[in-house]
Amino acid sequence: LAAKRELKAKQAALKKAIQERKAAEEAKKKAKAEAAGEDVEMPPAAEGEGAEEPEKEDEEEEEEAFEEFKPVDMDEVDIFGLEDISDVGGGMPLFASFGFEDWATMTLRFEVNVLAHSFRKDVKDPDRVGIPLEHLAFYYGKYFKKNLNTKFYGVETIGEVLDMVKDTVYACRKTKVVASRLPEDLESWNILAMLTEEVRRERFRRVEMGDESAKLKLSAPAGPLSATPQPGPASPSAGMRVPPAVRPATTLRPSTMPPRPVAVSA
């Protein structure tokens, strides 16, 4: 209901803007004609049926302009059938309804997906198929130079953080190794926005039905989103044997480089 009211308000505001723009254009034409000393044609007096024609034409032009630029009901958009997420209709992007928590989780999808693929490529060891869940925070800190802060996401464990983006990455049940559901050679990163919008819709639907557990409890930052997690490498738990970071791919270069990777038991 709230979304529909917001959509109607946007449509009314857009219609008003079109009318104002049209009035401004007419006034500009009139002022230009007067400055040139030309006779300004006034609309014909209301006589018979012919007097209604200009008004009808104006209404038709206004409706055409409104149809071209009117806001789209995002809940009716076929998310995974889009060719351009920056314009789903009326100039609206797919992420028009994103809130802070949506941008944060989309960023998390990107980061952990890249980390999972980069780690496998960097270790070049068939016995090390991925990052163990218990070491994810450590390698996240090494690759991105910031903490994977569970408190920021409003949860207690790294596993719960992954559950927030389980459509993109997950921990295998048997090995507890982090893996990505997306292929390494993605043609476009648009899929991350699509997945985030799908989750946002479902969350909004549940909240509208009174399910308070569907709400995310992320800590809104005081500064830019990229600065929200605390900078610096993550510290492993006491007594946990953690291997040194291996060389990451290109731009994802950690602050320190070990001489060689150390194998980790699954």
Side-chain angles (χ1 to χ4, degrees):
L1 294 177
K4 289 183 178 179
R5 285 196 297 268
E6 183 180 354
L7 180 62
K8 288 182 179 179
K10 287 181 179 179
Q11 290 175 337
L14 181 59
K15 188 172 183 180
K16 183 180 179 181
I18 292 173
Q19 291 173 339
E20 291 176 351
R21 183 183 65 181
K22 191 169 184 179
E25 290 176 354
E26 291 294 334
K28 188 176 180 180
K29 287 180 182 179
K30 183 178 178 180
K32 187 176 180 180
E34 289 176 348
E38 300 176 359
D39 293 332
V40 181
E41 295 183 4
M42 300 300 292
E47 295 179 0
E49 298 180 358
E52 298 180 0
E53 291 302 319
E55 185 177 347
K56 287 183 178 180
E57 290 179 2
D58 291 345
E59 290 179 355
E60 289 176 359
E61 291 178 2
E62 185 179 303
E63 288 179 1
E64 289 178 1
F66 181 71
E67 286 296 323
E68 183 179 356
F69 296 104
K70 70 178 182 180
V72 177
D73 185 353
M74 297 301 292
D75 291 339
E76 300 299 324
V77 174
D78 179 10
I79 299 174
F80 298 100
L82 293 172
E83 295 183 0
D84 183 6
I85 65 169
S86 63
D87 186 357
V88 300
M92 291 183 66
L94 178 65
F95 41 85
S97 299
F98 276 21
F100 160 72
E101 62 275 9
D102 301 304
W103 292 111
T105 52
M106 187 172 73
T107 300
L108 181 64
R109 284 181 173 88
F110 169 78
E111 291 176 338
V112 183
N113 171 72
V114 168
L115 178 56
H117 286 301
S118 296
F119 182 86
R120 292 185 60 185
K121 183 185 297 184
D122 295 337
V123 296
K124 298 178 182 179
D125 185 347
D127 295 330
R128 304 176 69 186
V129 296
I131 302 174
L133 181 60
E134 60 181 352
H135 297 164
L136 179 62
F138 176 83
Y139 281 111
Y140 182 93
K142 286 296 184 182
Y143 274 69
F144 296 107
K145 298 182 181 179
K146 59 182 180 181
N147 286 347
L148 183 56
N149 192 342
T150 58
K151 300 298 183 183
F152 169 73
Y153 295 99
V155 295
E156 297 295 329
T157 66
I158 296 297
E160 290 176 299
V161 173
L162 281 194
D163 283 342
M164 298 175 68
V165 292
K166 58 186 177 183
D167 50 14
T168 305
V169 290
Y170 67 101
C172 301
R173 291 184 179 180
K174 292 184 178 180
T175 61
K176 297 298 180 182
V177 166
V178 177
S180 174
R181 299 185 189 276
L182 303 179
E184 182 180 349
D185 53 344
L186 274 176
E187 294 183 3
S188 170
W189 291 108
N190 289 351
I191 185 63
L192 298 180
M194 294 175 179
L195 292 169
T196 304
E197 170 62 12
E198 182 182 43
V199 173
R200 185 202 67 80
R201 287 186 187 181
E202 175 62 17
R203 185 177 71 250
F204 181 80
R205 183 189 66 79
R206 290 173 58 189
V207 172
E208 285 284 288
M209 294 178 63
D211 184 359
E212 293 296 319
S213 66
K215 291 183 179 181
L216 298 181
K217 300 177 182 179
L218 275 71
S219 302
L225 179 61
S226 59
T228 49
Q230 297 298 320
S235 299
S237 302
M240 183 176 71
R241 179 173 175 270
V242 181
V246 294
R247 180 171 181 173
T250 58
T251 58
L252 297 177
R253 185 179 181 87
S255 55
T256 58
M257 292 293 177
R260 56 189 294 273
V262 179
V264 180
S265 56

